[in-house]
Amino acid sequence: MIIQVGGSRAGNLGARASDGAIHVDINGAAPVVTQMTPMAFDRIWVSATVLPNGEVLMTGGSAYDNQLQDTALTAEMWNPTTKTFRPLASTPIARMYHSTSLLLPDATVLIGGGGAPGPLINLNAEIYSPPYLFDANGNAAARLTIGRSTSREDYNHLSNISWTGAGTVAKAAMIRTGAVTHSNDMEQRFIPLNFVVRGNTVDVRMPANANLAPPGYYHIFLLNAAGVPSVSKIVSLGVAREKNVLLPGDALSGGDSLVSPDGRHKLTFQADGNLALYTGNNQAIWASGTFNKGGVKAVMQADGNLVIYNQANQALWSSGTFGAQFAGGKLVLQNDSNLVIYKDGKAYWASNTCCR
């Protein structure tokens, strides 16, 4: 869904600005445009910023093109469920032409500039803290903290992310990092992510393809049941990954595989919970022996240990390579059919299935 708000009326910059809002459903064969309840203020050069909870913050603008006439000093929030706006806090500073509004990793919003070449030349900025960052008493709300995660993600990849903090993970979302000019950020997009919580880790499935999320940099936020977002981790999405390597923090779940560079060997986490290595003739040459024991994922941990966990996040099998000397190790499926854990080029564990 796309939303469009404010701006000039019929392209006439000399006329009074619009308070209108529409949403465009692009999920069907043809786009469907629907009028929404308007904003409380007429706004041209309004900045719209997508937030981690899926709401959209509206700031700045005025009733006439870059003029201090009926300036919109009160922010408004659009709710994707009700498709309506509600008023928020106000600012004494008018933000108009050339203004910027940018989501920051801590889930606040940087709002700055605006007014040039006149009637204002704002060389200042403000930080707006959305309501989700406060509890009912106005104090800072308890939030989750993202721990271990990878900085590179590929499409449809299952990423294992550790977390701490109050409550549990109730929502995971990906938001494109901002690139704002003239109150517009055409690359903004909010992508809810499928996830499964397993103790103090969460398995998060990346978007399936570039049609859903073009390659680039994204925030990943975890939100608790109260809707409070974590500080984000910024990842690069769409960077080609080696299909035969499991990096620290990577995971395999039901049906996921590593494939050797020559395509002859495959390591698969099977639906029965077994991690099995097959040769080109579909012969199993190594397995973890965890079939029908409730295994749900195999994780290459940051401490260098390859571990198979059940739904309760209990370890069923491991390579036994945990500790400082193994930290940062990666799992590699080689063309010689050997499965090896390396750190800094040195092998610390192997399936001993070479040359099959």
Side-chain angles (χ1 to χ4, degrees), residues 29-52:
V32 177
V33 179
T34 303
Q35 295 284 338
M36 297 190 294
T37 302
M39 297 180 291
F41 301 91
D42 300 327
R43 298 179 189 259
I44 187 171
W45 303 116
V46 56
S47 293
T49 308
V50 181
L51 301 181

Side-chain angles (χ1 to χ4, degrees), residues 77-164:
M77 190 76 80
W78 180 78
N79 183 288
T81 302
T82 64
K83 296 182 173 56
T84 58
F85 299 89
R86 67 182 188 274
L88 299 171
S90 297
T91 174
I93 304 172
R95 304 285 179 188
M96 298 177 289
Y97 190 49
H98 290 119
S99 59
T100 292
S101 179
L102 189 69
L103 177 67
L104 299 179
D106 67 355
T108 63
V109 181
L110 175 68
I111 301 169
L120 299 173
I121 301 179
N122 282 325
L123 303 179
N124 51 52
E126 303 163 278
I127 297 292
Y128 177 71
S129 298
Y132 52 52
L133 292 178
F134 301 94
D135 63 20
N137 297 317
N139 299 315
R143 60 200 304 184
L144 303 176
T145 300
I146 296 177
R148 182 192 67 250
S149 66
T150 182
S151 61
R152 298 189 306 160
E153 294 289 358
D154 200 0
Y155 294 110
N156 205 41
H157 175 243
L158 184 70
S159 188
N160 180 252
I161 300 173
S162 67
W163 61 273
T164 58

Side-chain angles (χ1 to χ4, degrees), residues 18 21 62 64 69 71 99 118 121 134 216 224 287:
S18 172
S62 61
Y64 290 90
Q69 186 171 349
T71 52
S99 59
I121 301 179
F134 301 94
N224 62 21

